[in-house]
Amino acid sequence: MATSMVLGQVLWDSLLYRYRSLVTFSGTIVAGFELGNAFDWRDFTSFRVPTGTSTISLTLPLSLSGSVSIDSFVMWCVSNGTGLNLVATLKKNGTTIGTVTAGATSGITWNDLSPSVTVSALDVVTVVFNNATGSTMDIRQISFGPKVTFPIGQWSGINPPTLYQGVVVENVFSVNGSIIGRNIRRLEKQGSINLTHLAESWVRTTWDAFIQNVARHAFFYRWNPVGYPAEVAFAAADQINAPTNMMPPPLMQVQLGLKLITQ
Amino acid sequence: MTYSALASSQGKQAVQIVEIAVERCTRTYGTSPCLAAIGTTGSQKCFNTLSTCQYATAYNPAPLIYRFSSVRIDGLQQPGDAPTIPTLVSLKTDPTVLTPAKGLGVRASVTATIQDHPWPDQFTDPYLSTRTYDPETQGSFWGKWLRRHRFYQNRIMTIYTGFLNEDGSYDIANFKTRKYIITQISGPTISGQVTITGKDPLRLVDDDKRKWPTASQVKLATAVDAVITTVVVADTLDELSFWWNQGQRYIRLEDEIMHATAISGLGTGTVTLTVTRASMPTFYDFAQNVAAAHAVDVTAQWCWTYDDVMIYDILYDFLSTIVGIDTAFLPYSEWKAEIDANFSYLHFSCMLAKPAGMKTVLQELTELPILLWWHEREQVIKLKGFRFIQTLPAQLNDSDSIIAESVSVTEDVTALATESWIYFAPTWPLANMKQIQTYRVIDIAANADRESANQYGAPYVKAVASRWIPPAGASLAATLNTTNLTQYQDVRKAIAFTVDPKDDNYWVGDLVGISTKYVQDEYGAPAVRNYLITQAEEVYDNNGLKIQLVALEQFSYARLCTITPPSIAGVGSAPPIYSLASASDKVAFGYMGYTSGTFPDGAPNYVMS
């Protein structure tokens, strides 16, 4: 059991999505599995990586003021009946800054970049895929950018998203009382982010920007980066409650209901 | 694992998929042969759909499938497909309702409710990179789709219902397929939903959709008197080529029907017919048809005739040639085998001399003991007659089929008929077919006992007028009347009940033996009766799939036999013992049964006759 405070993390600010109109790809596109599906924040579309080496390129626009710190590189891959063997290498101006190797089965892999890398206008960020096996490799989402680590822990109410979730079971009885069938309905994975005793300034800057984004888009959520760093969920806001003040002032509390998908 | 194996398994999760088949152009905007150009034919590029096409002469459609599912499904989308979008909120099917001897019944329909959502136009816009706006933030999936695919009506909508494998993977073998014709897409509503409505292909025969023969635009080019046998007509649309090549020979000028014996000039715009004046098929009253003079520009209405044609040939001609239903939906060989084997008397004669609604005409045929319906699962139009057989075993029963508290039993008193009347032999094809004085003959079958004071105490009459039975069809009318009376002279039970998907092999049109304690014999035991399934519907609630059935009791009889001699003339050997006997042996010969009332295979004992 964890004895210290668990600080959850989210990655919502994807540079690929933010500058999606500037993204290019070197390989062959499969109709229906277009490149844009890889960073559209949707769980039902996917991008098919061709065999061999191919590259996603993003040249950051001149209009980018200041710099952006990239500290996370997340990839959600789908197995199509064959073991995955896809290596994605993140580079800044040709220099490797991070690598994600997809696991043997479908799932989300979150790679922390340490140290983080700062990029600014006209920098070229690339993701180089090496699909050596020639198997069909689909990427549901790929994202890199600055993660948000919550400043306060959440002691209870967390639903570890990779655990077996709720199921509604209905037994079907015949007129004479025999069980003749059973239907099940898997409940959606749900969770919530409940943070209390937050500094007012953090809520007004970091949280508010996050919430404005998640009202429209999904994001990646890691509930326990220390104890269970592999338990990453693709999350979508279910209910966003307004932040409120709490005692003692000027502390604040926030609450966000979630739908969670792990694969 | 197969559909049936998953349906029978404990802990199955039901899934639904809706497929919409539309078209998308294979051309590239501005590349020959597409000569569209921004600034000339439009301000922006098209979306490779006909609704947005700017150079229609080069439009070259190819099939495009959109899929919507009730859950996210991996592995269904193939290269070239649109993503499978998990926005299917609900799927409601209104099943085919068979109304035996009461007409075509109710067409099957389906309503799919789908959630609208923002959409970045990946895949759906072939020129996405050239747009000057952000499609993610402009409009919604369905708002854009409906504008880009305005001509969705009468496209095929396919419904897949079934189960995912236990690991959540998709396998087409685990799904049942049903096809419908899209009739309407409504929305998006204020709640952001669209509803897609589809009906079964027999919808295409609806009166407002199809009339036959179509109103002719052939006109008399030269006036004719009451005698001349050469008729010259202007046929600018070349209607007469199809008519003549289909073997049709009758044509009508005003109230005179003529028989064409020769033709020339087909396809030239001016056609010359050699005719026999005031001539009709022999099954009509010639006194009605009088040769007369006709002026220039009088419409020459080509007629459509069936002269002693089997029911399956008439229906195939109607549905394929006239209505244009895909022949894959019309199992002609199956129809022919069923009718030839059991109802070889179902041959009819009729001339359609003025445009008639196809639905009306089919309705008249199915008011006779003929069943015609769309089988959603087999994706074919089925044709059957009324056939009465000996009582079946209890294939569906209270022990292992019928779900508790799902049974509802009613008596179908509206169908009761102690007398069956068929008016037939109409005077001629231009008469009002709804008036009984149009018909020259009536056949009546009646059960006087049922009408006696000790039984129902009054006559219950089922009367039908049929333009399809000629004067020579008296025996046909008598046979049809007998069939009607056999089925409807007693009040029949109608049972509505629900079964688990493991029993979903019974569907509309099937004859099935049902035993339930809610229908008892005079001793209080569950009575086994034959029932015709008239409705079948898959119902999804929050907990999964069930099958709701409605079945109508059919006349059936006990297992009759005659005493068979120890050796059979012409065969020379005794019938085999029961356990070795074939099904036909068991029909032909009687066997001594057990005191339990059944044989070891569960079949009931015979009744001596």
Side-chain angles (χ1 to χ4, degrees):
Chain A
M1 179 179 290
T3 55
S4 60
M5 188 177 285
V6 172
L7 303 180
Q9 294 175 337
V10 294
L11 175 61
W12 63 268
D13 185 8
S14 164
L15 290 184
L16 285 173
Y17 182 78
R18 196 201 292 188
Y19 299 112
R20 56 192 178 277
S21 63
L22 304 177
V23 178
T24 60
F25 183 63
S26 69
T28 305
I29 298 292
V30 178
F33 297 85
E34 286 82 1
L35 174 63
N37 295 341
F39 41 84
D40 63 356
W41 288 123
R42 286 176 171 79
D43 66 317
F44 60 89
T45 61
S46 55
F47 165 59
R48 182 153 292 177
V49 182
T51 302
T53 302
S54 54
T55 304
I56 294 177
S57 296
L58 168 62
T59 303
L60 294 169
L62 192 60
S63 59
L64 174 62
S65 60
S67 60
V68 177
S69 172
I70 301 174
D71 59 14
S72 296
F73 180 27
V74 182
M75 187 163 71
W76 180 6
C77 286
V78 184
S79 166
N80 284 296
T82 56
L84 290 165
N85 187 21
L86 181 66
V87 179
T89 305
L90 184 65
K91 296 183 177 182
K92 172 191 172 184
N93 299 327
T95 303
T96 298
I97 56 177
T99 300
V100 172
T101 302
T105 57
S106 306
I108 305 170
T109 307
W110 182 318
N111 182 28
D112 291 303
L113 304 185
S114 182
S116 62
V117 176
T118 301
V119 294
S120 53
L122 299 181
D123 277 342
V124 179
V125 186
T126 55
V127 180
V128 180
F129 295 110
N130 185 4
N131 180 11
T133 65
S135 300
T136 301
M137 300 290 176
D138 288 348
I139 292 181
R140 186 97 64 199
Q141 289 294 300
I142 189 165
S143 178
F144 53 81
K147 65 176 175 261
V148 173
T149 301
F150 298 141
I152 197 94
Q154 184 172 342
W155 291 103
S156 62
I158 292 176
N159 169 15
T162 53
L163 297 181
Y164 193 73
Q165 302 288 306
V167 171
V168 174
V169 178
E170 183 205 36
N171 292 312
V172 181
F173 292 93
S174 74
V175 172
N176 286 353
S178 301
I179 296 179
I180 54 177
R182 176 177 292 151
N183 292 312
I184 66 166
R185 178 168 54 96
R186 293 184 177 87
L187 298 175
E188 293 174 314
K189 295 180 179 180
Q190 295 181 324
S192 64
I193 296 172
N194 300 311
L195 304 176
T196 60
H197 301 88
L198 296 167
E200 200 178 20
S201 59
W202 187 86
V203 172
R204 289 181 181 279
T205 54
T206 308
W207 179 262
D208 201 50
F210 167 57
I211 281 303
Q212 285 188 41
N213 187 275
V214 301
R216 296 181 64 88
H217 305 296
F219 58 95
F220 288 111
Y221 172 53
R222 185 157 61 165
W223 74 278
N224 185 348
V226 178
Y228 302 99
E231 293 193 0
V232 183
F234 186 75
D238 190 26
Q239 180 172 339
I240 302 172
N241 290 342
T244 55
N245 291 323
M246 62 174 294
M247 292 298 286
L251 297 180
M252 298 189 76
Q253 59 187 358
V254 296
Q255 189 173 44
L256 173 64
L258 300 175
K259 292 272 193 270
L260 303 170
I261 300 168
T262 52
Q263 173 40 39
Chain B
M1 196 174 272
T2 62
Y3 175 90
S4 56
L6 273 172
S8 302
S9 73
Q10 305 282 309
K12 52 196 173 288
Q13 184 174 19
V15 173
Q16 302 148 295
I17 302 167
V18 172
E19 247 185 34
I20 298 174
V22 289
E23 301 89 27
R24 186 158 73 169
C25 184
T26 60
R27 312 287 191 207
T28 301
Y29 187 93
T31 301
S32 182
C34 176
L35 302 183
I38 293 174
T40 304
T41 57
S43 58
Q44 292 200 45
K45 290 183 177 179
C46 67
F47 293 87
N48 280 25
T49 64
L50 186 59
S51 310
T52 61
C53 182
Q54 297 169 20
Y55 198 80
T57 53
Y59 181 71
N60 185 39
L64 176 64
I65 302 289
Y66 284 93
R67 293 191 187 91
F68 307 90
S69 56
S70 58
V71 298
R72 193 188 75 208
I73 300 175
D74 291 333
L76 177 56
Q77 182 190 4
Q78 299 300 311
D81 289 351
T84 304
I85 305 177
T87 48
L88 179 60
V89 177
S90 66
L91 189 66
K92 182 179 185 308
T93 55
D94 291 315
T96 294
V97 179
L98 276 186
T99 53
K102 294 180 187 172
L104 264 179
V106 178
R107 306 271 58 78
S109 65
V110 63
T111 304
T113 302
I114 297 177
Q115 187 68 44
D116 198 11
H117 54 92
W119 182 244
D121 267 347
Q122 291 287 345
F123 184 81
T124 49
D125 182 358
Y127 312 110
L128 180 60
S129 62
T130 69
R131 304 297 178 191
T132 55
Y133 58 90
D134 180 5
E136 173 97 53
T137 57
Q138 183 164 310
S140 63
F141 178 90
W142 279 102
K144 290 182 274 195
W145 193 97
L146 282 167
R147 187 62 190 170
R148 295 169 189 172
H149 296 276
R150 277 166 42 206
F151 309 115
Y152 60 76
Q153 284 208 334
N154 295 324
R155 300 300 189 271
I156 296 289
M157 172 183 186
T158 308
I159 307 295
Y160 297 90
T161 52
F163 311 95
L164 295 180
N165 287 322
E166 290 182 11
D167 64 359
S169 60
Y170 167 82
D171 183 349
I172 184 64
N174 300 336
F175 285 79
K176 297 251 179 178
T177 306
R178 284 168 289 168
K179 288 188 187 294
Y180 300 87
I181 305 289
I182 298 174
T183 57
Q184 186 177 26
I185 301 179
S186 302
T189 63
I190 54 172
S191 58
Q193 294 182 338
V194 296
T195 54
I196 306 175
T197 306
K199 292 195 174 178
D200 74 45
L202 277 174
R203 169 197 181 267
L204 295 175
V205 307
D206 286 355
D207 284 359
D208 59 335
K209 302 288 178 297
R210 193 70 61 163
K211 294 187 187 300
W212 199 257
T214 56
S216 173
Q217 297 188 54
V218 181
K219 294 188 185 306
L220 198 55
T222 308
V224 296
D225 60 19
V227 179
I228 194 168
T229 57
T230 300
V231 175
V232 181
V233 295
D235 180 20
T236 53
L237 299 179
D238 191 23
E239 295 174 59
L240 295 182
S241 288
F242 173 76
W243 166 77
W244 184 265
N245 292 334
Q246 291 290 314
Q248 299 293 327
R249 293 295 182 266
Y250 290 96
I251 196 160
R252 176 175 62 83
L253 294 174
E254 298 181 280
D255 282 350
E256 181 190 353
I257 297 171
M258 309 171 184
H259 181 229
T261 55
I263 198 165
S264 62
L266 283 173
T268 65
T270 301
V271 175
T272 302
L273 297 153
T274 303
V275 299
T276 304
R277 300 295 300 267
S279 177
M280 295 188 295
T282 55
F283 44 85
Y284 290 118
D285 177 7
F286 272 54
Q288 305 284 333
N289 194 12
V290 178
H294 304 286
V296 171
D297 284 344
V298 161
T299 295
Q301 175 66 58
W302 43 275
C303 307
W304 207 256
T305 306
Y306 300 98
D307 190 349
D308 197 25
V309 179
M310 290 300 295
I311 181 71
Y312 44 77
D313 286 321
I314 295 173
L315 292 173
Y316 193 80
D317 191 47
F318 271 177
L319 299 176
S320 65
T321 309
I322 298 174
V323 178
I325 292 176
D326 189 335
T327 54
F329 296 151
L330 306 173
Y332 177 81
S333 300
E334 181 186 309
W335 294 358
K336 188 173 187 313
E338 161 77 4
I339 299 299
D340 285 348
N342 304 299
F343 310 97
S344 58
Y345 50 83
L346 290 177
H347 44 97
F348 299 95
S349 301
C350 178
M351 172 190 281
L352 301 173
K354 56 185 177 182
M358 279 290 93
K359 186 176 181 182
T360 302
V361 173
L362 286 179
Q363 189 88 2
E364 290 170 1
L365 279 170
T366 50
E367 282 178 349
L368 304 172
I370 295 167
L371 297 171
L372 182 74
W373 77 101
W374 170 246
H375 196 295
E376 299 143 277
R377 284 191 163 171
E378 294 184 20
Q379 300 170 68
V380 293
I381 293 170
K382 291 276 190 178
L383 173 65
K384 274 189 177 179
F386 270 26
R387 188 149 62 101
F388 305 121
I389 61 174
Q390 68 183 24
T391 306
L392 295 162
Q395 294 152 304
L396 295 175
N397 55 65
D398 286 344
S399 296
D400 51 27
S401 319
I402 301 173
I403 292 177
E405 300 177 7
S406 72
V407 183
S408 166
V409 180
T410 55
E411 295 210 323
D412 188 12
V413 293
T414 59
L416 179 64
T418 59
E419 295 183 21
S420 180
W421 301 0
I422 296 180
Y423 295 94
F424 63 101
T427 51
W428 78 315
L430 294 182
N432 184 342
M433 297 297 164
K434 293 180 179 173
Q435 293 180 341
I436 58 172
Q437 57 266 41
T438 294
Y439 301 90
R440 289 172 281 172
V441 189
I442 181 171
D443 184 87
I444 297 176
N447 185 334
D449 287 345
R450 289 288 188 273
E451 296 175 355
S452 69
N454 287 336
Q455 295 193 21
Y456 294 122
Y460 292 82
V461 177
K462 172 180 173 57
V464 171
S466 179
R467 72 173 92 184
W468 289 92
I469 304 176
S475 63
L476 168 61
T479 303
L480 297 175
N481 265 337
T482 301
T483 304
N484 270 338
L485 201 62
T486 303
Q487 170 62 16
Y488 294 115
Q489 65 187 345
D490 290 307
V491 176
R492 301 298 178 189
K493 303 276 188 187
I495 307 181
F497 59 101
T498 305
V499 298
D500 189 75
K502 75 180 179 60
D503 292 310
D504 78 344
N505 48 328
Y506 300 105
W507 206 251
V508 173
D510 290 343
L511 204 57
V512 57
I514 298 176
S515 164
T516 174
K517 66 183 181 184
Y518 299 101
V519 178
Q520 302 170 10
D521 64 17
E522 58 269 46
Y523 309 108
V528 185
R529 296 278 188 272
N530 286 359
Y531 290 82
L532 175 72
I533 296 179
T534 56
Q535 292 182 54
E537 184 177 10
E538 291 177 348
V539 177
Y540 288 82
D541 58 20
N542 282 339
N543 297 320
L545 169 65
K546 297 185 184 71
I547 313 294
Q548 287 184 350
L549 300 173
V550 177
L552 181 65
E553 182 186 358
Q554 297 288 287
F555 171 78
S556 61
Y557 47 85
R559 206 176 187 201
L560 298 175
C561 72
T562 53
I563 301 296
T564 306
S567 63
I568 306 165
V571 176
S573 61
I577 62 172
Y578 188 85
S579 60
L580 298 177
S582 67
S584 58
D585 288 336
K586 290 173 182 174
V587 171
F589 312 130
Y591 293 84
M592 300 297 284
Y594 294 98
T595 54
S596 65
T598 59
F599 283 85
D601 62 359
N605 282 349
Y606 292 84
V607 175
M608 304 295 280
S609 65

